[in-house]
Amino acid sequence: MSHVLSPRPDTRFLVLDTALTLFTERGFFSTSVHDISREAGVSIGSIYHHFGDKEGVASALYEQLGARMEGLISEIRRRHTTAHDQAMELVSRLFQLTESEPRAMEFMLYAKHREFLPRQGPVCSSRPFVLMREIVSMGMERGEIRPMDTLIASASLFGGPLRMITGRLDGLVDKPLPECLDAVWACAWRAVAMAAPAP
Amino acid sequence: MSHVLSPRPDTRFLVLDTALTLFTERGFFSTSVHDISREAGVSIGSIYHHFGDKEGVASALYEQLGARMEGLISEIRRRHTTAHDQAMELVSRLFQLTESEPRAMEFMLYAKHREFLPRQGPVCSSRPFVLMREIVSMGMERGEIRPMDTLIASASLFGGPLRMITGRLDGLVDKPLPECLDAVWACAWRAVAMAAPAP
DNA sequence: GTCTATACGACGATAGAC
DNA sequence: GTCTATCGTCGTATAGAC
């Protein structure tokens, strides 16, 4: 626990925070370990001591953000019962996160991790995306969502909102995403929602 | 016109074709000019003679594929009158293209061009995506699509289908996309279509 | 754990003959 | 237009002192 008492800022945190900024601004390959070292005020030796190699930095970043994302979804699944509420809350939180931490969002779902993290599968196979599909799957069993291929339903429900996020990160969308939530969600839900029973 | 008569395969084509394969397989930064030279059977000197530098190769590839895409959309817009038909035909053709030329699709809409083509804007600002938004815009004027922000409608209509494409390129989707067309399109169109007038 | 200095390899790009 | 040979730089990673 010595690090808690130490006045020195945590090296690992410093490095990861700087790396996230540089990776998203210039990209992984256009960022040298020297750059990270200089910007973070941490020596190269320390970086290699903590992370092994450059890929290790990206890897740690990926895992950290992935775990946060997973925690977020798990929390949402505990707090809401219907697929509709769970999915809408998820989109809402992702929209908020895009505004408050655009770099984190960009690194998670916009970076081509396969290019620099060959061990990781594609993003959409990662835990968070699996959990999203589980929400959809549950919705179909509950009769909230029309019966169809789960993958198709998942893409149709979250495809629009995710596209808004990348559009926002690209500077294509001017308005803060939370202001668009109602309109975006209405379309997304309409795409997969069970038709109202004939009166 | 001497190149037409020459028995030697066109160098530019050879290089671009090889580059497309390598760029999508390993990524732009993990592909050296030496790699392209070796795989294409063309000397390094020739590559630099034709393309100036490595970025020039990627740039030429980007322009070539972008022009093809634009031509495709223009053709569709001429052959169909309603936004519904235009958009559905577009999704259908993109699905076919994903199967027949996955590398071209991947390079066009899955690569992070900003990392190696700093001059190019984001993909979604490119001509093809502008044309897609024009289809949606027209559909709204014609009363086919509910009135709403064009960007939101565009994301909602094409977000699902595009997500299926990336899912397919990632190996997440097993079935050939054209087989999913009806189900995917039904969801996509439902998301934005004007409600049927009350009987 | 943190630092500096250095080794080493790879890659982008060029020169210049044919 | 095409080729081979070469140069110079940059960046990853390590060694070893503190």
Side-chain angles (χ1 to χ4, degrees), chain A residues 31-34 48 53-54:
Chain A
T31 302
S32 72
V33 182
H34 286 278
Y48 278 94
D53 58 5
K54 185 182 174 185

Side-chain angles (χ1 to χ4, degrees), chain B residues 150-169:
Chain B
T150 310
L151 236 49
I152 296 180
S154 209
S156 301
L157 178 57
F158 294 111
L162 287 172
R163 206 143 185 85
M164 288 299 292
I165 292 177
T166 58
R168 176 70 170 152
L169 293 172

Side-chain angles (χ1 to χ4, degrees), chain B residues 14-16 21 44 65 79 92 104 111-112 118 137 153 163 169 188 193:
Chain B
L14 232 48
V15 170
L16 289 179
T21 301
I44 286 220
L65 293 175
R79 289 162 102 96
S92 170
K112 281 209 71 181
S137 189
R163 206 143 185 85
L169 293 172

Side-chain angles (χ1 to χ4, degrees), chain A residues 58-167:
Chain A
S59 191
L61 208 47
Y62 186 84
E63 280 178 33
Q64 179 192 280
L65 293 174
R68 247 182 83 186
M69 212 58 111
E70 193 180 330
L72 175 69
I73 303 185
S74 298
E75 185 208 318
I76 289 174
R77 298 204 63 182
R78 281 194 306 272
R79 289 163 102 97
H80 298 273
T81 50
T82 67
H84 172 279
D85 291 356
Q86 285 181 0
M88 185 169 122
E89 177 73 11
L90 177 55
V91 171
S92 169
R93 298 289 285 270
L94 291 178
F95 276 13
Q96 289 168 23
L97 232 117
T98 305
E99 301 299 329
S100 62
E101 297 180 64
R103 299 191 193 293
M105 281 303 287
E106 188 167 346
F107 186 83
M108 274 315 283
L109 54 82
Y110 203 40
K112 281 210 70 179
H113 304 105
R114 310 200 62 164
E115 276 191 31
F116 53 88
L117 292 178
R119 297 182 180 179
Q120 300 286 348
V123 206
C124 11
S125 304
S126 65
R127 282 294 292 274
F129 277 81
V130 172
L131 289 173
M132 285 168 63
R133 255 171 278 139
E134 279 181 23
I135 293 180
V136 169
S137 190
M138 182 195 79
M140 229 140 61
E141 285 171 17
R142 288 175 47 99
E144 298 176 67
I145 294 178
R146 304 168 106 99
M148 66 179 103
D149 185 297
T150 310
L151 236 49
I152 295 180
S154 210
S156 301
L157 178 57
F158 293 111
L162 288 172
R163 201 135 191 89
M164 288 299 293
I165 292 177
T166 57

Side-chain angles (χ1 to χ4, degrees), chain B residues 52-70:
Chain B
D53 59 5
K54 185 182 175 186
E55 193 183 309
V57 177
S59 191
L61 208 47
Y62 186 84
E63 282 178 33
Q64 178 191 282
L65 293 175
R68 246 183 85 185
M69 213 56 110
E70 194 181 327

Side-chain angles (χ1 to χ4, degrees), chain B residues 159-189:
Chain B
L162 287 172
R163 206 143 185 85
M164 288 299 292
I165 292 177
T166 58
R168 176 70 170 152
L169 293 172
D170 275 343
L172 197 71
V173 178
D174 295 324
K175 260 195 308 185
L177 288 184
E179 294 179 21
C180 311
L181 178 61
D182 290 345
V184 173
W185 175 252
C187 288
W189 185 246

